Amino acid sequence: MMAPLGRGIAGPGDHHPVPPASVFRILHVSTGNVCRSPITERLHRHALERRLGEAHSGGLVVESAGTWGHEGAPMEAHAATVLGDYGADPAGFIGRELLDEHVIRADLVLTATRDHRAQVISMGHSAGLRTFTLKEFNRLVRAIDPATLPEPDPDLPDGGLVERARALVGAAAALRGWLLAPNPESDEVHDPYGAPITFFRSIGDEINQALDPVVTALTGVPARA
C-alpha cells in the first residue's frame, strides 16, 4: 500500500503536474514508519510547498517507509501533534514497510540513522551513492557551492528542479569520503517512539533544522524569514 502523498505532490495514479520522467523521488526511512519518517516526510513536503507553491513542487515527490514498517498504521499521535506545530498536514498518512520497489524508484534516500542507511544499501539496487542519513546529507549539502548546481528554470515542466536535485546528490556523494562526521552520533536522529510529547518536539525541531538547508539546496529558494 502506498502512503497518500498529500497536497501539491503527486503520486502513482494521481494527475501529475509534470511528465513522469521529470520526477525526482525522495524517500525518508526510519524503523516503524510511524514517528520519525512521517514527521520528516510531511515537514519536507510542507517546506517545499512554502518555498515553491503547490503548483510548482510536483517535480519533487516525497515519500517514506520503515525497515520494520507498520503496514497500514497511522502515524503516532505525538508525531501528528508535532507536524501541527509547524503548520504541516498529518492527515491521511498510512504507514508502509520498505520494499525493494521503493528503493529502486527513489532518486535520494534519507534515513534516520546509520543502521537504516546500511539496511537500505544492503538491499542492493545500486543504492549506495544515493542513500545518506538525513544529518549526513545536511552536512554534505552545506559544503556544496550553490553556484555549481543548475539554476532552476521556470520554463521547464519541472521548473528545472529534477536536474538540480540529481546534481546535488552527485555532488554530495563525491564529498562523502572527504567530509566526515565529527562523531557517529552527529548523523543520528533518535527514535521518540513511546516518549513524551516533549521529546517528540525536540526530535521534530532536530528534523526541521536538518531539512532546512536540504530544501534550500534542492530548490534554490531560501526559507522565508
Side-chain angles (χ1 to χ4, degrees):
M1 182 180 295
M2 299 293 290
L5 294 180
R7 301 170 300 156
I9 307 291
D14 294 334
H15 294 292
H16 208 287
V18 294
S22 297
V23 167
F24 183 91
R25 291 186 177 275
I26 302 166
L27 178 67
H28 291 289
V29 175
S30 63
T31 303
N33 196 215
V34 292
C35 296
R36 287 168 291 183
S37 51
I39 290 173
T40 315
E41 173 198 314
R42 294 302 174 94
L43 285 180
H44 199 157
R45 290 189 201 164
H46 182 64
L48 287 171
E49 290 172 4
R50 282 178 58 83
R51 310 282 178 99
L52 300 169
E54 292 187 31
H56 299 96
S57 57
L60 302 176
V61 174
V62 184
E63 304 171 303
S64 65
T67 55
W68 290 86
H70 299 295
E71 189 75 26
M75 76 173 72
E76 284 289 298
H78 286 341
T81 298
V82 167
L83 288 173
D85 291 344
Y86 290 94
D89 186 4
F93 181 85
I94 300 174
R96 60 183 190 169
E97 183 176 357
L98 180 68
L99 303 176
D100 288 88
E101 66 190 66
H102 303 145
V103 177
I104 290 167
R105 293 196 309 165
D107 298 288
L108 171 62
V109 183
L110 297 176
T111 70
T113 69
R114 290 168 296 141
D115 281 347
H116 296 132
R117 181 184 64 195
Q119 288 178 67
V120 171
I121 293 172
S122 73
M123 294 172 73
H125 315 301
S126 303
L129 292 177
R130 51 194 166 90
T131 303
F132 310 80
T133 75
L134 172 62
K135 289 188 173 181
E136 175 191 22
F137 196 65
N138 166 290
R139 183 176 69 254
L140 298 170
V141 158
R142 287 187 287 112
I144 295 168
D145 182 355
T148 64
L149 301 174
E151 286 291 329
D153 186 348
D155 293 330
L156 295 176
D158 65 354
L161 296 177
V162 171
E163 182 186 5
R164 182 182 177 92
R166 288 176 178 155
L168 182 69
V169 172
L175 274 178
R176 177 152 42 192
W178 299 92
L179 191 62
L180 303 178
N183 57 73
E185 284 295 303
S186 66
D187 278 345
E188 305 277 293
V189 175
H190 294 293
D191 191 355
Y193 185 80
I197 185 62
T198 50
F199 188 64
F200 267 83
R201 285 192 164 117
S202 70
I203 293 298
D205 182 59
E206 221 174 285
I207 290 170
N208 192 57
Q209 288 189 44
L211 279 172
D212 182 71
V214 171
V215 176
T216 298
L218 284 168
T219 64
V221 180
R224 297 177 184 176

